[in-house]
Amino acid sequence: MAISLALTRSPWPVALVYGVDLVGAASGCLVVLVVMTLMDSVSALFLVGALGALAAVFFAQAQRAVNQVEPPLLGIARLRILKRPLILAVTITCSR
């Protein structure tokens, strides 16, 4: 879904967007090998969740830059702690 949106809504050529996506996927595969070597699977899962939350923050900032601000569709997305994913990730990691 994200790739189709990136390909159809991007001002850049489709080949460039798709090429960057492929490079990101390949580097993600290599990073997974390193992460799974350095930490256990539960910690890796929290890391992936934190990275996903960080990506959501970047997408939200990009949307605000284009002045297309929309309210969150889910009520849980309005919680204050979820507005700061780094604090949430550190809290979960440190409580372990």
Side-chain angles (χ1 to χ4, degrees), residues 1-10 14 17-22 24-25 59:
M1 181 86 161
I3 301 304
S4 64
L5 285 174
L7 289 174
T8 57
R9 310 260 167 110
S10 173
V14 173
V17 174
Y18 191 64
V20 169
D21 174 57
L22 288 176
F59 274 111

Side-chain angles (χ1 to χ4, degrees), residues 11 14 23 36 39 43 53 60 63-64 66-67 75-77 80 90 94:
V14 173
V23 169
M36 292 304 290
M39 61 179 63
S43 298
Q63 188 175 17
R64 268 190 234 119
V66 186
N67 289 331
I76 194 169
R80 279 186 85 107
V90 169
C94 291

Side-chain angles (χ1 to χ4, degrees), residues 29-41 43-44 47:
C29 289
L30 295 174
V31 168
V32 165
L33 293 174
V34 172
V35 167
M36 292 304 290
T37 303
L38 297 176
M39 61 179 63
D40 61 326
S41 59
S43 298
L47 178 66

